[in-house]
Amino acid sequence: MDTIPARTTEELLRLRKRHVNPTLSVAYREPLKIVRGAGAWLYDESGRGYLDMVNNVCHVGHCHPRVVAAGQQQMARLNTNTRYLHDNLVEYALRLTATLPEPLSVVFFTNSGSEANDLALRLVQAHVRARGAVVVDHAYHGNLSSLIELSPYKFNGKGGQGKPAHVEVAQMPDSYRGPCRDAAAAGTYYAGAVDAAVARLAGRGQRAGVFLCESLLGCGGQIVLPQGYLAASYAAVRAAGGLCLADEVQVGFGRAGDHFWAFQQQGVVPDIVTLGKPIGNGHPMGAVVTTPEIAASFVSGMEYFNTFGGNPVSCAIALAVLEVIAEEGLQQQAAEVGAFLQDGLRSLQQAYEPIGDVRGCGLFIGAEIVTDRASRAPDRTLARAIVEQMKDRQVLLSTDGPDDNVLKIKPPLVFSRDNAAEFLHKLAEVLALLRPA
């Protein structure tokens, strides 16, 4: 293959504008040209390193040597589809389901989290014969048409077409800026919004077939669900004959720290779990895990075949990811480094008024930026300024939430205590510059 020319940033932007999807954005006012990654770091064309604190895809670190080698070795030997028998497929299904509670024991393989959520909806409809869906406000579940319809983040945003008739939206369980801020009561209070959404569907003659909820809310603003929320919400949906779907596409595989799966923090067992992003450390792969009973309902005579889903290379890579998480103690590292990060952020919160709230678990953390703590009014402008200033200091952050004012912190699990200390030091510099204590 001929060498690809090394183009300047200006050339790349010009060519993207002419030839690439025009709705695709780039990060930062001055875009970065990233050419290499290693561990928790990304490097630009000049060799400058940037501490990556937003990449929850390269779960065990950019270009982890063991994961890369697993893919290379299998690709050099065989890659084909699942109509042939192969040890990798069965071995990965065994090891994956061993991390999940019973009766979640049947796996369907896909190429992405979006595909996984779309397939999960087909499983729901096959099992309960109801299309009605309850989702949480500002949620995002994937880029397929079926999932844009279930993503308020999209259908209520720019270019969106509004809520479809078969969907009801439950209020986001935000204990910081929402109407209920009592930690002891919040789970029951916000689950009431799910129950009310089920009732609204019933009032239109529709049955709630599914409650689709991330186990930790990403686009909603890095929100940790209040205790008891999923238990009460699941009970309301199941009482109406529906199924409960845990979207772990962004938050699974040990990121939560104390648990391998974020839904386990709530003491519940979903009917279906969907996986993506970290499953292959950046390799395109996803999965749906469900119960034998629900899987049996999908057996209608129509085959589910996915040309690339579960291929030997993808499964080899995914096996390596599980092995690295276990052998390098990355779940425990997520718990310990995440606690250190939250403690450091709360120390900064004492000195700087704009840090209104610090929340999270493991290496899933949000810092909400506000104009003042009394009003808790979002300060999007300051949040974006912090992101840009941190980028100038070679730390990559981003923002999320309905008002785009929450600093989202979701680094690869290899992110270390030293990395965290560097981040906290530089954030203190930026806050002192932008909002002196």
Side-chain angles (χ1 to χ4, degrees), residues 112-115 117 140-148 151 154:
S112 68
S114 291
E115 274 194 11
N117 277 331
Y140 174 63
H141 295 290
N143 59 31
L144 302 182
S145 298
S146 62
L147 301 167
I148 297 298
S151 298
K154 291 293 186 181

Side-chain angles (χ1 to χ4, degrees), residues 220-242:
Q222 302 295 102
I223 289 176
V224 178
L225 302 177
Q227 277 304 310
Y229 173 76
L230 284 186
S233 297
Y234 281 16
V237 173
R238 285 169 173 160

Side-chain angles (χ1 to χ4, degrees), residues 355-385:
I355 301 180
D357 189 39
V358 175
R359 53 184 178 256
C361 58
L363 284 175
F364 178 95
I365 298 170
E368 183 139 359
I369 307 302
V370 297
T371 57
D372 64 272
R373 291 189 197 156
S375 70
R376 306 189 183 192
D379 195 334
R380 175 185 306 186
T381 301
L382 178 57
R384 294 305 307 169

Side-chain angles (χ1 to χ4, degrees), residues 213-371:
C213 182
E214 298 166 279
S215 304
L216 298 165
L217 306 188
C219 290
Q222 302 295 102
I223 289 176
V224 178
L225 302 177
Q227 277 304 310
Y229 173 76
L230 284 186
S233 297
Y234 281 16
V237 173
R238 285 169 173 160
L243 298 179
C244 300
L245 198 169
D247 182 334
E248 293 263 340
V249 169
Q250 295 203 57
V251 298
F253 292 94
R255 177 167 295 279
D258 290 341
H259 298 89
F260 199 77
W261 304 106
F263 68 77
Q264 292 172 313
Q265 294 184 316
Q266 292 273 313
V268 297
V269 178
D271 300 298
I272 304 173
V273 181
T274 52
L275 314 174
K277 297 185 191 296
I279 193 171
N281 207 53
H283 180 82
M285 185 177 181
V288 180
V289 188
T290 190
T291 69
E293 181 185 9
I294 294 170
S297 295
F298 198 60
V299 180
S300 65
M302 178 189 291
E303 181 183 23
Y304 169 72
F305 174 68
N306 187 315
T307 302
F308 298 110
N311 70 75
V313 172
S314 294
C315 289
I317 289 171
L319 282 164
V321 171
L322 284 181
E323 290 166 359
V324 169
I325 293 170
E327 294 173 18
E328 296 187 9
L330 295 184
Q331 181 182 340
Q332 182 63 27
Q333 181 164 322
E336 293 172 358
V337 176
F340 176 77
L341 265 172
Q342 286 200 62
D343 287 345
L345 285 166
R346 291 194 175 101
S347 293
L348 290 175
Q349 185 182 22
Q350 300 307 308
Y352 295 99
E353 176 83 6
I355 301 180
D357 189 39
V358 175
R359 53 184 178 256
C361 58
L363 284 175
F364 178 95
I365 298 170
E368 183 139 359
I369 307 302
V370 297
T371 57

Side-chain angles (χ1 to χ4, degrees), residues 131-135 144-156 160-169 197 200-201 204 206:
R131 189 163 179 253
V134 176
V135 295
L144 302 182
S145 298
S146 62
L147 301 167
I148 297 298
E149 291 186 344
L150 298 185
S151 298
Y153 176 75
K154 291 293 186 181
F155 67 62
N156 282 333
Q161 297 182 12
K163 181 178 69 65
H166 67 287
V167 175
E168 277 299 329
V169 178
R200 289 196 298 274
L201 283 170
R204 298 201 300 272
Q206 298 186 19

